Amino acid sequence: MERFREANRTFPKSPEILSAKARGQKVMGWVCTYVPEELLHAAGALPVRISGYARETDLQDGTAYFYVNNCSFARSCLQLGLRGEYEYLDGFVAGSTCDAARRLFDLWCNYVPVPFSHVMTVPRKYSERANDLYFTQVLELKKGLEEHLGVGITAQALMNSIALYNESRSLLRALNDLRKLDEPPIDGSQTMEVLNASSRMPKEAFNDCLRGLIRDLDRSKPKGKGKARIMIAGSALNNADFIQSIERIGGLVVTDELCTGTRYWADPVAVGNHQEPLKAIARRYLNNFPCARMYPSEERFQRMLHLIREFRVDGVISQTIRYCSPYSNDLPLLSDVLNQNGIPMLSLDVEYGTSGSGQILTRVQAFLEMLEARRE
């Protein structure tokens, strides 16, 4: 765990990122899980996920360029960029997945310029026409990378990157399978540390560390049952302290529906016989465990219900960043689905980076006591 914690504690200027940069490797920042990391990796670059502060903090610089009614995740990312924390980036790739992400890309290009920048159009549906459209976007990104970096991204390089990233997804699945136990050997906050590090370290090093962690966990003591088994849902979440605050008062966070969690690693790239690796990558990224922005919502809800059954979840805590349009608008629909299936949900309106304190913890405590009473 210590290597993962170190990568997170020192991020954005983690030693492994700066070391790669010093060796001459290009470092490509990306925003949104609809950006295909394998393509950046196959181009010889180190993909690094752009995120904001690991705590709730003043966003004076970010708010100077973003109106305050934009989500604090986007403002936090921009603030770090404006203060030079991502000065090592050779490129910035984003998906037009919500207004805040799209405007973050525009502002970054204007005020935190990088040598290479690219934004992808991401359809909101799963149809074949949508897959064709997204594939053209992946092709355009490939062409842009090749021209800028002066490389040819070969089919073999793509296959190698697919194998590496699929291995990472398989290891993350194995780690999360341990959380199905009555008394898991790893808690939710520790899992979040691992997930954060997964996009802040070279994948080769991350996979090696994660294999070692899984071996250690097989011999470690369980963490306990807690008052209730919890799923975390909602907006982007990187702060392990938020999850730890829930677990300190008796919650056992066993799974999630987050773009920084399960949705990041859920589905592998499936390369069938005679299928082009680039088409397989495009299909995986558009059809992966969906975000609240995708239509229809039923696919996402069914995936959540499957996780709830698989991990024996007692209740869902939905944390929605203020002004996060996709998840705010989706919340009533999700609430109806969970109610119909007898799953209690607590909805929290938060700022990105919140650690969980005061009124939030009071509400969580009451929710956990209610779930505990239901179990009895």
Side-chain angles (χ1 to χ4, degrees), residues 272-294:
N273 293 332
H274 311 299
Q275 187 175 19
E276 296 177 34
L278 204 62
K279 283 191 174 180
I281 288 171
R283 186 166 290 275
R284 182 270 175 191
Y285 274 84
L286 187 62
N287 295 275
N288 186 37
F289 195 137
C291 169
R293 71 181 294 278
M294 299 300 285

Side-chain angles (χ1 to χ4, degrees), residues 82-204:
L82 290 168
R83 294 191 173 183
E85 294 297 323
Y86 287 104
E87 62 186 358
Y88 53 76
L89 289 182
D90 297 290
F92 185 94
V93 183
S96 57
T97 48
C98 67
D99 287 344
R102 186 64 180 83
R103 296 286 78 78
L104 174 62
F105 175 81
D106 292 339
L107 290 167
W108 201 286
C109 291
N110 275 281
Y111 301 107
V112 195
V114 290
F116 176 79
S117 57
H118 187 93
V119 63
M120 303 177 69
T121 295
V122 182
R124 294 182 59 245
K125 298 181 180 180
Y126 312 104
S127 66
E128 284 306 309
R129 288 181 64 191
N131 278 291
D132 290 343
L133 171 58
Y134 183 69
F135 179 59
T136 66
Q137 295 296 299
V138 175
L139 283 173
E140 287 184 15
L141 175 59
K142 176 177 180 286
K143 181 180 178 182
L145 288 167
E146 289 176 326
E147 290 178 352
H148 177 73
L149 298 174
V151 300
I153 302 174
T154 65
Q156 187 58 56
L158 287 169
M159 291 297 292
N160 292 342
S161 296
I162 288 170
L164 177 68
Y165 277 75
N166 276 351
E167 180 187 27
S168 185
R169 294 174 183 119
S170 178
L171 289 167
L172 285 168
R173 180 173 296 280
L175 178 72
N176 278 271
D177 281 347
L178 296 174
R179 303 167 75 192
K180 296 176 184 177
L181 300 174
D182 286 344
E183 297 185 57
I186 186 169
D187 60 30
S189 62
Q190 291 173 320
T191 305
M192 178 57 69
E193 291 274 14
V194 175
L195 288 162
N196 283 339
S198 69
S199 55
R200 296 171 175 178
M201 296 172 63
K203 268 294 187 284
E204 296 86 349

Side-chain angles (χ1 to χ4, degrees), residues 317-333:
I317 295 179
S318 174
Q319 53 86 40
T320 306
I321 297 173
R322 293 185 184 100
Y323 310 115
C324 175
S325 298
Y327 279 90
S328 296
N329 293 328
D330 178 77
L331 196 56
L333 301 176

Side-chain angles (χ1 to χ4, degrees), residues 319-355:
Q319 53 86 40
T320 306
I321 297 173
R322 293 185 184 100
Y323 310 115
C324 175
S325 298
Y327 279 90
S328 296
N329 293 328
D330 178 77
L331 196 56
L333 301 176
L334 175 61
S335 179
D336 287 345
V337 169
L338 294 179
N339 281 336
Q340 291 165 14
N341 286 272
I343 309 298
M345 181 177 75
L346 172 65
S347 175
L348 300 174
D349 187 34
V350 301
E351 295 290 0
Y352 175 75
T354 185
S355 59

Side-chain angles (χ1 to χ4, degrees), residues 182-183 223-229 247 250-252 372 375:
D182 286 344
E183 297 185 57
K223 294 290 182 180
K225 291 185 176 182
K227 295 179 180 178
R229 298 172 67 87
E247 295 182 318
L252 179 62
E372 188 178 27
R375 290 175 68 175

